[in-house]
Amino acid sequence: MRKLVIIPTYNEKENIEAIISAVFNLPTEFHLLVIDDNSPDGTAVLVKNMQPLFSDRLFLVERSGKLGLGTAYIAGFRWALEHGYDYIFEMDADFSHNPNDLVRLYETAVANEAQLVIGSRYVCGVNVVNWPMKRILMSYFASYYVRKATGMSVRDATAGFVCYSKEGLERIDFDGIKIKGYGFQIEMKYLFWKSGMKVCEIPIVFTDRTQGTSKMNSGIFGEAFWGVLGLRLRKNLPVR
């Protein structure tokens, strides 16, 4: 099975080389695609410098600027499907997601024949390290709000550490995705769940970044709030 990890980046020079090395040192082989939104700190240059070492496994897509997290992942999904990958993963560059858990996501997807496996912070209590209590509460209740607003049973609807099967992604009409920022994570999970595809959650420990700067802001939460309200009102979901 061919496995591709997609990492969107914007100003991640402190983390990018280490996260690439960590993924390639795993006992299970993964390929890696970095989607860089024209980082002014030179993130893409560092990736290019590493490509000769991993010419058959490390790939880079450079975009013209900050175009939104959702559009970065959609670009990555299209690239992955065009290049014949069987399982496609989302992961942050900043080590908030433990690269070792990629293997657990993959093995769960295969064992359960799941189209989506979520690395969940909240499926077994609250597993978050180094976040201030205010942010933990905001994230936890955001997922609670999504469950109540949509009826979806997923405990961590905003999770950004996931594994998709090729078959699952092939059913999604990417042109019909409405939410382009962080709410994209919610919309994707809703589409998989609503269309009857198999969705699993496994517990992970999420650790806040120690290097670089978080990209979260109040506008991200506002977009997700209103976007979730619109999900249940949509009559024609972009699922084949």
Side-chain angles (χ1 to χ4, degrees), residues 77-105:
F77 296 158
R78 294 186 194 276
W79 192 97
L81 294 177
E82 289 171 1
H83 289 81
Y85 287 91
D86 301 290
Y87 289 94
I88 299 93
F89 302 76
E90 297 179 0
M91 188 174 74
D92 291 347
D94 59 8
F95 284 93
S96 55
H97 304 136
N98 186 338
N100 293 322
D101 287 329
L102 287 168
V103 179
R104 295 175 56 229
L105 289 173

Side-chain angles (χ1 to χ4, degrees), residues 74 124 210 225:
I74 289 172
C124 293
T210 59
F225 178 87

Side-chain angles (χ1 to χ4, degrees), residues 35-38 61-69 71-73 75:
I35 310 284
D36 186 72
D37 276 2
N38 196 26
V61 170
E62 295 181 85
R63 306 202 302 171
S64 60
K66 293 185 72 173
L67 304 176
L69 182 73
T71 66
Y73 275 126

Side-chain angles (χ1 to χ4, degrees), residues 24 33 36 54 58 88 105 125 137 178 182 184 203 218 220 222:
F24 289 154
L33 173 65
D36 186 72
F54 308 103
L58 177 58
I88 299 93
L105 289 173
L137 292 173
K178 298 292 186 182
Y182 280 75
F184 163 84
S218 59
I220 287 169

Side-chain angles (χ1 to χ4, degrees), residues 196-222:
M197 289 190 268
K198 188 166 187 179
V199 178
C200 298
E201 284 185 272
I202 63 170
I204 63 159
V205 175
F206 178 97
T207 304
D208 195 20
R209 67 162 65 232
T210 59
Q211 300 288 332
T213 304
S214 173
K215 312 305 187 295
M216 299 296 288
N217 58 57
S218 59
I220 287 169
F221 288 101

Side-chain angles (χ1 to χ4, degrees), residues 121-122 131 134-143 158:
R121 297 163 290 185
Y122 307 127
W131 262 8
K134 180 180 179 181
R135 188 166 177 185
I136 292 174
L137 292 173
M138 184 179 296
S139 174
Y140 182 84
F141 283 105
S143 285
T158 61

